[in-house]
Amino acid sequence: MNVNNTSTPFDSFNARNLSPRQVSETFIPPVQFSSLYKRAHSLLIGPRGSGKTTLLKMLHPSALDNWNHELACEIRKSIDYTGIFVASDVTWGAQIGALGYGQISELSKNLLSVSAFSTNVFLSFIDSIESRLSNDTNHFKKVKLTKDQEGIFVLEFSSALKLPISIPSILSLKVALRKRLSDIFEIASKATFKAKEDRDNYISSHDFLHLHFLSVLGLGIELFDNLIDENDEKWALLFDELEIAPDIIVKELLKSLRSVNQKLLFKLSLSPYNKNIDELDDVFSAMSGQDYSSIPLWFPNKNESYRFSKELCISLIEKRIGQKVSIENMFGNSDFNYLDDEYTDENHSFSLMSQYGMNTDVDSYKKGSRIHKRFKELYLGDVSFKEYIDKKNIDLDNIEELSDTQNAQYIRKITPIVQARIFFRKSSNEKATSRSRKSRLIYTGAKSLLAVCEGNPRWLIGMMDSLLKQMSSAGTVNRIHQSNEIYKTTSRFEALLRTIPVNLGEQNKINGLLGLLELLGKYFYQDIVINSFSPSPNGSFTINQSTPKNVIDALGKALNAGAIIHIPEGKEIVIHELVGKRFRLSYMLCTNYKLPLVTLASKSLTTILESTNLYKKQSLVDNQLRIDLGN
Amino acid sequence: MKTVKLAIMSDLHFYDDPIKEKPSYLQVGAPNNTKENPIFALQELIEIEKLQVDFLVCAGDLTDRANPKGLREGWRLVNETAKKLGSQLIATAGNHDLDSRHKYDDHDAKGEIQNLIPKFPIDDENLFDHYWSRNFVVFDPEELNVRFLILNSAAFHGYSNESEHGRVSSRTIEQMSKKLKSLDDKNVNILVCHHHPHKHGEISGDGYSSMQGGEQLIDLLGSGDFGDWIIIHGHKHVPRICYTAGGTSAPVVFSAGSLAAVLYDEIQGLARNQFYIVEIPIDQELHDAISLRGEFIAWDWIATIGWQKPGKNSGLPAKGGFGYRGNINNLTQKIKTYLDTSNEPYFDYEVIVSQFDELKYLLPMDVTKLKTSLERKGIDVVADENCQIKQLAIGKSYNECK
């Protein structure tokens, strides 16, 4: 088998560097895609690497046109708008900050920033138009424009833009808009040479800076639609990564959202914990005339996560080695086979589980089976477990014959805990350093591997790529390699988390964000694995009212990075604040803290923090003193 | 139209030991990662774009400081690349390949290079002998009206201060002349050597003075007695294409940029690592009527990204040509007349090119002249991000701001 090294879009872990067309080459729609492409406003929410940019780019006409997938035709038919993709640029903040070298007023800086942003929006608009122009109109959203029509559009639009152009062509318009971007910086620079009191006037005298992007864009859309005789069509503004857009731009956007334009849909993406999120949610909800949906890009329901992850992996593998494989064959079975958690229906019977392709084999508990052996082993080696089983009157040798569904569920529920205890209480495994290649064997196998990636495409692709290189001639990947890969990926993730600056207070001895997460991990480990056996140990936490603000902020960053996962109550998605909400550690991190891959009972955060000696409870008296001393 | 296609690469500088500052992106034994290994990425580019040529020309400095491992690995990979291109490989020695100041083992650099399999610079026993004994060899491929003259401009390396510049001795030139006189003319004549035969304006400084004897060589080739010539060389790592001084038959000089060397500071603003494909028409009638001309495409190598279209200051642009030596203003006038007689609001440049074939064969520096000349005559030009002219129109301006 030839592991082909031809670079594909899979190679680039960051959709930011890919054109919409490239993104569409390998796009697998997650279940959320159907909510996103609806003819409605959308707020797409997810941590890093969850696929926000990919999803938004897929709504660009060139992506949809190029997309090849069994659902592609059907989906194209139901999309009747043209997407305009506008990326936020992390360098904007720096560029704007540098505008005028700190010599121009806030007012002027804002004017210039918004103008730069608007120019980018216009460029994206032209880009989408370009994608649609073609002599062959048999494709998605393709239209033909004569040179005269092109001229009319360009002249009228450029006039509205107050943009000098030379040739009445779309290319010329594009070139002129790009030039305008550098002009903006030039104006800022020139202003610094003027006398201080003249600077604002000088800047403000450039008319084009005062154009409002939404109204000018609306004009452009109308012009174009008139020309191609599609007056009922809509356009969608796809704003990506709003969390890195400068404040002033988000404010402008919010302002624009409030003024409804019937022809425009808005689809925005941002991270889960974001100060603008409530305002956006409010504004969207208030916008009449159009539906609105908030779309989370994490999977509270692991069945869907598994389904999506599996499809993505199979597709990636196919692209690499040229054939479809069964990932269960490739990676083997998993110890953590039971992927449901409290979030699913309590009356979950075996038959329901089979719908989700889980191991419903009752025989898996049969006497002599692996799980059975494990249960027996723990029974013999763990006194607290023995006591529990005895009290419940469960005959381990005859589990599959349990007629009482309650008991059967109990067994299923405690299985992950049993497995974790067995694996991690073994002296060889407990003593093993976390660097040991075998230390993560318990997390190997198809289902666990995918669970660890939490449906995050970036992690999935990275891991798969690496594992494929270690595939044997029989088409399998050795568990030691899998274990190693988990360790490596987790280390990389932790390295990233280390770079996130947090302030946890000097009185605490917690070492940064990672230290905080480690604290939680260790606490759960103690409860699940070390302490006396319990069928419902603590494995998640709730941020309670008395949690200090700086800790909440830190956890917000953790949420945005994908280190902790929100466990929603009911259907809520947009969380306006973290207090009162429940979270678990990402399964990726769980592999480092020797935790089972399952959602467990919740404990209040401050209780957890205070139980350690790294954290000092905030003293009210101390706070009072600080205020009095005018600190 | 029958053409001959050449791929051109130069100055790979394969190295082995991790010296203080790495000289290139090609370390022996480095992983085959398309984002970090230009040769590997190039082979992939060849596959993706389905590039096929008649000859791969490698203009020397395969290795760095005569490193034998670098030389062997470099030669292996260059041969592999030639195969992927479906082409025959033609190389020549560079100063780094023969630099005997650096000794690694018993063999001297010359010995190393002469021991390579397949034979260096060309896989033919007789031609090999001639090259090493006379410092040049003429190679006439069968069935193509093309001639290669492969020169060893680094022949005198390792003997004195010759490491500073290349050389073609008067005797060699005399022998070349004799040889060429004895043969029938060919339509397209290509000289391959490592060093630059004449000075370049952009770079000054000691290490880069031109080949000794270069002017005589140019005179010989430009005499008109032996057909029209294009000289392909490397060494400077600065891509450039121009005509030499002389009469109307003065050779075209193609200075190839380096494929993989880490570019030194002074040229950062002028050059990138590049790879080229040149296509030259070899029809008989064409050559009776006009001088040697052709077109080229170029790619940039950017570390951690890969091969991509060249930008503004990369050296050679994404597309270009050479050979048309007529008057630019004349050409502009013809274009203007054409535009005037038509009603179109603007023209795609491709359409203009199909009307005026000469435009294909303009040097990049002449294209710049053309742009200026067009603008002076009131014709607006729109170019894309890679500086390629895309559209023309009779000038009007719209929305001029106060």
Side-chain angles (χ1 to χ4, degrees):
Chain A
M1 269 182 239
N2 173 32
V3 182
N4 191 1
N5 277 313
T6 309
S7 60
T8 69
F10 278 123
D11 286 347
S12 178
F13 297 90
N14 201 329
R16 181 181 289 166
N17 300 327
L18 301 176
S19 70
R21 205 184 171 79
Q22 285 172 308
V23 165
S24 70
E25 297 272 314
T26 51
F27 179 64
I28 311 269
V31 64
Q32 293 95 336
F33 191 52
S34 56
S35 309
L36 180 64
Y37 70 69
K38 275 203 315 238
R39 195 199 240 221
H41 301 302
S42 315
L43 198 53
L44 193 60
I45 305 168
R48 284 177 64 130
S50 54
K52 298 184 300 241
T53 304
T54 301
L55 285 169
L56 281 184
K57 277 192 178 168
M58 271 311 294
L59 297 179
H60 189 277
S62 59
L64 287 166
D65 184 38
N66 190 47
W67 189 33
N68 228 342
H69 184 271
E70 53 193 17
L71 296 173
C73 277
E74 195 188 307
I75 290 179
R76 273 192 284 263
K77 279 204 197 97
S78 47
I79 296 181
D80 60 353
Y81 53 82
T82 307
I84 300 172
F85 180 84
V86 184
S88 289
D89 200 317
V90 71
T91 59
W92 262 0
Q95 284 178 348
I96 285 168
L99 267 182
Y101 320 110
Q103 309 261 25
I104 58 178
S105 69
E106 205 60 31
L107 191 69
S108 285
K109 227 202 277 193
N110 286 343
L111 187 67
L112 292 163
S113 310
V114 174
S115 186
F117 173 70
S118 306
T119 309
N120 268 314
V121 173
F122 301 138
L123 272 167
S124 301
F125 173 51
I126 297 299
D127 180 59
S128 289
I129 288 181
E130 265 188 331
S131 306
R132 288 187 59 182
L133 295 178
S134 168
N135 281 325
D136 177 7
T137 53
N138 272 329
H139 288 244
F140 179 74
K141 290 260 162 213
K142 294 285 191 200
V143 291
K144 191 167 175 238
L145 270 190
T146 64
K147 278 211 179 121
D148 285 326
Q149 285 176 311
E150 186 182 358
I152 294 171
F153 171 74
V154 170
L155 291 179
E156 292 222 32
F157 191 42
S158 63
S159 165
L161 287 169
K162 299 193 203 285
L163 186 69
I165 54 158
S166 48
I167 293 180
S169 72
I170 290 199
L171 177 66
S172 166
L173 189 57
K174 206 161 70 162
V175 170
L177 279 171
R178 282 211 195 99
K179 182 174 179 301
R180 172 166 282 180
L181 277 177
S182 55
D183 284 346
I184 290 173
F185 283 89
E186 213 179 281
I187 293 171
S189 176
K190 283 197 175 135
T192 64
F193 287 96
K194 306 254 173 216
K196 193 161 183 201
E197 58 271 16
D198 295 333
R199 281 177 203 159
D200 281 341
N201 274 335
Y202 168 72
I203 292 173
S204 172
S205 68
H206 295 85
D207 277 349
F208 76 84
L209 292 174
H210 301 275
L211 294 170
H212 190 274
F213 82 88
L214 202 61
S215 46
V216 176
L217 180 66
L219 201 90
I221 288 175
E222 221 179 284
L223 276 169
F224 186 74
D225 283 347
N226 268 333
L227 271 174
I228 60 171
D229 209 10
E230 272 185 18
N231 289 303
D232 293 328
E233 291 295 292
K234 283 191 184 274
W235 293 68
L237 269 173
L238 317 164
F239 286 111
D240 193 27
E241 292 187 296
L242 271 188
E243 66 270 12
I244 54 178
D247 267 349
I248 180 65
I249 286 167
V250 179
K251 277 202 172 63
E252 269 305 311
L253 197 56
L254 284 168
K255 246 187 4 203
S256 314
L257 289 178
R258 291 182 217 272
S259 60
V260 173
N261 181 328
Q262 289 297 340
K263 271 192 156 278
L264 274 179
L265 297 170
F266 288 88
K267 294 178 186 293
L268 283 54
S269 89
L270 68 171
S271 324
Y273 185 57
N274 188 289
K275 63 177 184 292
N276 291 310
I277 213 171
D278 356 349
E279 228 187 311
L280 281 167
D281 192 38
D282 289 340
V283 169
F284 269 132
S285 311
M287 277 163 92
S288 59
Q290 212 66 253
D291 282 333
Y292 157 57
S293 60
S294 222
I295 305 167
L297 272 183
W298 61 92
F299 296 91
N301 187 331
K302 270 200 294 309
N303 308 322
E304 276 144 14
S305 153
Y306 182 68
R307 201 185 317 176
F308 166 67
S309 307
K310 185 170 164 174
E311 204 186 334
L312 182 65
C313 290
I314 291 177
S315 169
L316 169 65
I317 295 171
E318 194 179 347
K319 278 233 151 54
R320 285 277 183 269
I321 66 174
Q323 63 188 75
K324 271 189 157 81
V325 298
S326 146
I327 55 166
E328 285 83 5
N329 281 342
M330 191 176 259
F331 300 109
N333 282 324
S334 296
D335 284 334
F336 294 115
N337 237 351
Y338 296 94
L339 298 182
D340 55 339
D341 52 26
E342 294 179 304
Y343 196 57
T344 58
D345 188 349
E346 275 297 342
N347 293 323
H348 218 118
S349 67
F350 277 120
S351 61
L352 267 180
M353 277 167 64
S354 71
Q355 272 179 36
Y356 294 118
M358 293 195 206
N359 188 349
T360 59
D361 194 351
V362 180
D363 289 345
S364 59
Y365 282 105
K366 231 181 171 141
K367 183 171 177 176
S369 73
R370 207 172 78 190
I371 294 189
H372 170 257
K373 282 197 191 134
R374 295 259 171 93
F375 269 71
K376 287 291 265 200
E377 205 184 322
L378 193 65
Y379 184 83
L380 295 170
D382 180 354
V383 170
S384 60
F385 182 61
K386 180 178 186 306
E387 281 170 9
Y388 170 78
I389 291 291
D390 289 342
K391 226 190 340 202
K392 285 227 157 262
N393 270 320
I394 295 173
D395 178 6
L396 288 180
D397 289 333
N398 287 305
I399 294 179
E400 78 275 15
E401 282 174 25
L402 280 174
S403 52
D404 181 351
T405 356
Q406 280 283 75
N407 266 337
Q409 274 180 47
Y410 256 132
I411 293 294
R412 267 206 313 286
K413 227 171 155 184
I414 65 171
T415 302
I417 302 167
V418 169
Q419 285 170 327
R421 287 175 84 89
I422 275 291
F423 189 82
F424 291 115
R425 286 166 70 106
K426 249 193 205 140
S427 57
S428 56
N429 286 331
E430 204 179 351
K431 284 200 192 117
T433 65
S434 58
R435 280 172 181 263
S436 147
R437 292 159 94 216
K438 293 187 186 169
S439 62
R440 281 144 175 86
L441 276 179
I442 193 176
Y443 301 114
T444 61
K447 290 212 169 77
S448 292
L449 271 183
L450 297 193
V452 157
C453 289
E454 301 271 15
N456 181 313
R458 199 176 285 171
W459 284 344
L460 281 165
I461 293 170
M463 221 190 245
M464 280 298 132
D465 259 344
S466 194
L467 288 171
L468 277 178
K469 292 195 177 117
Q470 321 205 45
M471 189 174 60
S472 72
S473 50
T476 58
V477 179
N478 182 307
R479 283 186 192 266
I480 303 257
H481 289 141
Q482 293 180 42
S483 170
N484 218 17
E485 189 58 35
I486 293 170
Y487 168 67
K488 280 202 279 190
T489 308
T490 311
S491 301
R492 271 201 295 271
F493 185 40
E494 288 186 324
L496 175 79
L497 293 174
R498 252 183 228 112
T499 65
I500 299 177
V502 297
N503 167 26
L504 289 169
E506 281 138 15
Q507 75 277 21
N508 299 320
K509 295 207 204 89
I510 305 176
N511 195 1
L513 182 60
L514 202 55
L516 179 62
L517 297 167
E518 213 170 74
L519 192 156
L520 293 165
K522 285 203 172 112
Y523 179 87
F524 297 139
Y525 173 69
Q526 184 72 28
D527 212 29
I528 298 167
V529 177
I530 302 297
N531 291 349
S532 294
F533 179 86
S534 155
S536 50
N538 291 308
S540 60
F541 62 94
T542 303
I543 298 183
N544 50 325
Q545 197 72 27
S546 49
T547 310
K549 187 169 184 310
N550 55 358
V551 175
I552 297 179
D553 279 344
L555 288 171
K557 290 184 177 167
L559 181 65
N560 285 348
I564 63 175
I565 311 287
H566 174 227
I567 305 169
E569 212 118 318
K571 286 212 153 244
E572 75 178 334
I573 291 156
V574 176
I575 43 177
H576 300 261
E577 56 166 322
L578 301 185
V579 173
K581 303 293 187 290
R582 186 176 163 210
F583 300 88
R584 62 168 170 81
L585 292 170
S586 154
Y587 289 143
M588 179 70 74
L589 289 178
C590 286
T591 64
N592 222 24
Y593 305 134
K594 305 182 191 157
L595 304 173
L597 305 181
V598 75
T599 305
L600 296 167
S602 168
K603 192 89 181 181
S604 91
L605 180 61
T606 47
T607 310
I608 299 176
L609 292 175
E610 284 157 21
S611 73
T612 72
N613 57 4
L614 296 174
Y615 179 82
K616 259 175 140 167
K617 180 170 180 175
Q618 298 284 41
S619 156
L620 282 167
V621 178
D622 284 341
N623 277 334
Q624 204 60 37
L625 271 175
R626 267 204 289 278
I627 293 166
D628 288 343
L629 291 173
N631 262 10
Chain B
M1 182 176 62
K2 200 161 195 309
T3 63
V4 62
K5 262 192 176 162
L6 313 165
I8 301 176
M9 59 164 66
S10 185
D11 296 89
L12 283 72
H13 289 271
F14 267 92
Y15 70 101
D16 174 39
D17 327 313
I19 319 162
K20 236 193 314 179
E21 272 166 30
K22 65 174 189 188
S24 79
Y25 298 102
L26 291 171
Q27 185 178 20
V28 174
N32 285 352
N33 180 330
T34 56
K35 296 212 195 297
E36 283 160 38
N37 184 320
I39 276 263
F40 190 67
L42 180 64
Q43 291 183 350
E44 195 187 75
L45 179 74
I46 292 169
E47 228 176 270
I48 295 177
E49 302 274 337
K50 301 197 180 14
L51 302 174
Q52 294 287 288
V53 300
D54 299 303
F55 303 95
L56 170 60
V57 173
C58 179
D61 275 3
L62 219 60
T63 181
D64 192 72
R65 289 170 237 225
N67 183 296
K69 283 204 190 114
L71 182 69
R72 273 176 250 140
E73 180 69 359
W75 187 236
R76 184 185 73 79
L77 284 169
V78 170
N79 269 281
E80 204 179 81
T81 310
K83 253 202 205 84
K84 287 214 148 75
L85 287 162
S87 64
Q88 177 170 15
L89 176 58
I90 295 176
T92 192
N95 50 307
H96 274 261
D97 299 318
L98 292 177
D99 197 341
S100 293
R101 286 178 301 173
H102 304 271
K103 273 216 175 359
Y104 290 85
D105 50 35
D106 282 340
H107 288 128
D108 60 336
K110 202 169 179 183
E112 280 291 346
I113 203 171
Q114 289 181 346
N115 275 331
L116 289 173
I117 308 272
K119 291 217 158 311
F120 184 109
I122 188 167
D123 198 20
D124 173 298
E125 192 79 35
N126 285 330
L127 298 175
F128 165 86
D129 280 339
H130 203 281
Y131 178 85
W132 290 108
S133 60
R134 310 244 182 208
N135 299 330
F136 79 92
V137 69
V138 171
F139 166 53
D140 288 350
E142 287 173 24
E143 296 172 9
L144 272 181
N145 206 326
V146 176
R147 167 165 294 149
F148 286 93
L149 199 163
I150 312 172
L151 168 66
N152 184 356
S153 62
F156 297 89
H157 269 53
Y159 293 113
S160 58
N161 291 348
E162 293 280 338
S163 58
E164 295 306 313
H165 49 74
R167 164 130 73 116
V168 58
S169 68
S170 324
R171 232 167 67 96
T172 306
I173 295 188
E174 214 181 287
Q175 297 202 329
M176 275 188 208
S177 175
K178 260 202 195 113
K179 180 77 180 173
L180 290 171
K181 279 200 181 102
S182 74
L183 298 168
D184 289 332
D185 278 354
K186 293 281 180 185
N187 285 345
V188 176
N189 301 276
I190 303 164
L191 181 99
V192 179
C193 62
H194 180 67
H195 294 80
H196 46 301
H198 62 175
K199 274 190 164 53
H200 267 196
E202 291 99 12
I203 309 289
S204 55
D206 289 326
Y208 290 90
S209 52
S210 49
M211 187 196 304
Q212 279 198 338
E215 279 83 17
Q216 284 117 287
L217 177 64
I218 288 171
D219 283 344
L220 174 75
L221 301 181
S223 64
D225 294 337
F226 310 113
D228 292 329
W229 288 83
I230 173 169
I231 300 174
I232 299 175
H233 73 87
H235 186 63
K236 288 176 63 66
H237 301 190
V238 176
R240 192 174 190 243
I241 184 166
C242 61
Y243 311 121
T244 63
T248 49
S249 319
V252 177
V253 179
F254 188 106
S255 169
S258 162
L259 188 85
V262 173
L263 301 171
Y264 51 100
D265 291 336
E266 287 103 325
I267 61 174
Q268 288 278 350
L270 301 170
R272 290 279 172 273
N273 296 110
Q274 292 195 319
F275 170 72
Y276 315 93
I277 294 195
V278 170
E279 191 169 5
I280 303 174
I282 52 177
D283 285 341
Q284 189 62 46
E285 301 132 3
L286 264 177
H287 279 271
D288 289 339
I290 48 179
S291 56
L292 185 140
R293 53 189 48 190
E295 294 173 86
F296 66 82
I297 25 182
W299 287 268
D300 273 2
W301 159 261
I302 314 277
T304 73
I305 295 181
W307 290 99
Q308 59 180 45
K309 276 206 174 136
K312 215 165 172 212
N313 293 314
S314 301
L316 256 53
K319 266 174 87 176
F322 53 88
Y324 175 74
R325 309 194 196 208
N327 183 286
I328 299 287
N329 286 326
N330 193 327
L331 202 48
T332 310
Q333 188 54 49
K334 283 201 266 186
I335 294 174
K336 180 160 198 301
T337 313
Y338 178 76
L339 294 183
D340 278 336
T341 56
S342 173
N343 276 327
E344 296 278 314
Y346 70 87
F347 291 83
D348 289 314
Y349 191 59
E350 290 167 354
V351 170
I352 308 286
V353 171
S354 63
Q355 286 293 316
F356 302 102
D357 203 44
E358 309 90 296
L359 290 171
K360 276 199 275 195
Y361 305 113
L362 285 175
L363 292 176
M365 58 178 82
D366 286 333
V367 171
T368 312
K369 281 201 201 101
L370 178 75
K371 273 193 216 152
T372 317
S373 176
L374 285 168
E375 269 152 21
R376 281 216 189 100
K377 283 219 169 5
I379 297 172
D380 286 322
V381 177
V382 170
D384 68 10
E385 299 165 294
N386 304 102
C387 303
Q388 304 282 301
I389 300 182
K390 285 287 178 194
Q391 293 170 345
L392 300 177
I394 299 282
K396 288 179 193 142
S397 65
Y398 310 92
N399 312 321
E400 278 298 346
C401 54
K402 51 181 162 86

